[in-house]
Amino acid sequence: CIVFQLVWPEYFSPLYHYYDPIVSTTSTLLLPTLLVLLVCFALWHWRARQPFFIFGAAFFLLMLLPTCTDFGQPGRVFLTFDRYAYISTIGLFFILAVTLHEAYVRLRGGSRCMFNAGVVVLCFLFGFLSHRQSLLWLNTQTLFTHVLIADPDAIIAKNNLASWYTHEAGAWIQQGNTHAALQSLQMASLYRPDSALIHTEIGTASGRLGLQSASFHSYKLAAALQPTYIPARYNLAMTYLEQGDT
């Protein structure tokens, strides 16, 4: 995954959640392990002729080892974390730099000009891709919306987006814009439809806008989702009293 993204820097994500059961025959884990062992064997065989390959590969693998402790978390398994892999990629870039240098010194005349032109084009291409990728990190909304595009079932992304929209609604309330707050809360409920707190806040915002029926249904849904959530039960009771029901 990391090596592929170095070749073509696309499809980056803060999370690479793995959903299938972890067994010894899992191809997603078995094949990369076999590939690493094969590469290690080849590098050891070439150690005398290409010592810089040994250094670069060893640096890459050793810097990745600490991240293995983070792959398994309670109830979740992650294939890798981009933010922990940046230092390790220095080893791969070292191998690439030495290889390109050796290729360059063998070139003559026009071949060197073509080589230089190709390097410039690649730098511009990777620069463009890097800039486009950086736009995804503008805020929590853009980042975790991107995560859901790659993985629609990412619970962590949904929770973060729900929290972001809930905080945004609070900011709108402080500015006196209840309509915008209601829209933000409705967005939050799309990512956390099981949240009694969010539905209670939707009920409150709807009530302030005079949408009494919508407010009542939101309080009722919140109380059904979490019967022990006091704000939902209290607001639902007050709504019944205002309607004259007991």
Side-chain angles (χ1 to χ4, degrees):
C1 182
I2 295 173
V3 176
F4 171 78
Q5 288 172 331
L6 286 177
V7 177
W8 185 252
E10 277 283 323
Y11 310 110
F12 285 104
S13 175
L15 308 171
Y16 297 95
H17 197 185
Y18 187 76
Y19 297 97
D20 296 332
I22 302 297
V23 295
S24 59
T25 56
T26 301
S27 60
T28 308
L29 302 177
L30 179 62
L31 292 180
T33 301
L34 294 176
L35 180 61
V36 168
L37 293 176
L38 180 62
V39 170
C40 289
F41 175 80
L43 291 175
W44 181 256
H45 181 70
W46 295 333
R47 66 188 183 279
R49 290 176 293 174
Q50 306 289 356
F52 62 86
F53 269 70
I54 293 291
F55 173 80
F59 185 93
F60 174 74
L61 295 175
L62 289 175
M63 291 298 102
L64 274 183
L65 282 179
T67 69
C68 294
T69 60
D70 295 321
F71 289 174
Q73 297 182 3
R76 301 187 298 268
V77 175
F78 299 95
L79 291 180
T80 186
F81 296 92
D82 283 344
R83 59 189 179 276
Y84 297 145
Y86 297 142
I87 294 178
S88 64
T89 56
I90 293 175
L92 298 181
F93 282 117
F94 173 78
I95 295 175
L96 177 63
V98 174
T99 303
L100 290 177
H101 173 72
E102 290 191 349
Y104 182 78
V105 297
R106 294 191 182 99
L107 298 177
R108 294 291 182 271
S111 298
R112 285 195 172 188
C113 293
M114 294 180 61
F115 183 92
N116 292 334
V119 170
V120 171
V121 170
L122 284 176
C123 287
F124 274 108
L125 175 60
F126 285 171
F128 168 76
L129 293 174
S130 297
H131 171 70
R132 188 172 67 175
Q133 187 70 24
S134 69
L135 298 178
L136 300 175
W137 292 79
L138 288 177
N139 52 48
T140 300
Q141 180 193 27
T142 57
L143 178 61
F144 286 104
T145 298
H146 171 71
V147 173
L148 287 180
I149 293 175
D151 182 3
D153 297 322
I155 299 299
I156 295 177
K158 292 180 180 180
N159 289 342
N160 277 279
L161 282 170
S163 178
W164 191 87
Y165 280 111
T166 301
H167 283 90
E168 183 185 60
W172 284 123
I173 290 294
Q174 290 180 354
Q175 297 177 31
N177 193 338
T178 306
H179 186 268
L182 178 58
Q183 290 181 325
S184 295
L185 289 168
Q186 289 172 336
M187 287 297 299
S189 69
L190 294 178
Y191 299 108
R192 283 293 307 278
D194 60 339
S195 173
L197 183 150
I198 292 175
H199 287 292
T200 300
E201 294 298 324
I202 290 176
T204 301
S206 298
R208 290 178 180 177
L209 293 173
L211 306 173
Q212 301 305 326
S213 177
S215 176
F216 170 75
H217 286 296
S218 294
Y219 289 144
K220 194 172 182 180
L221 176 58
L225 288 170
Q226 189 175 341
T228 59
Y229 187 59
I230 301 301
R233 298 181 62 181
Y234 174 81
N235 288 330
L236 182 60
M238 294 301 297
T239 303
Y240 276 124
L241 287 175
E242 291 174 359
Q243 292 177 352
D245 296 332
T246 56

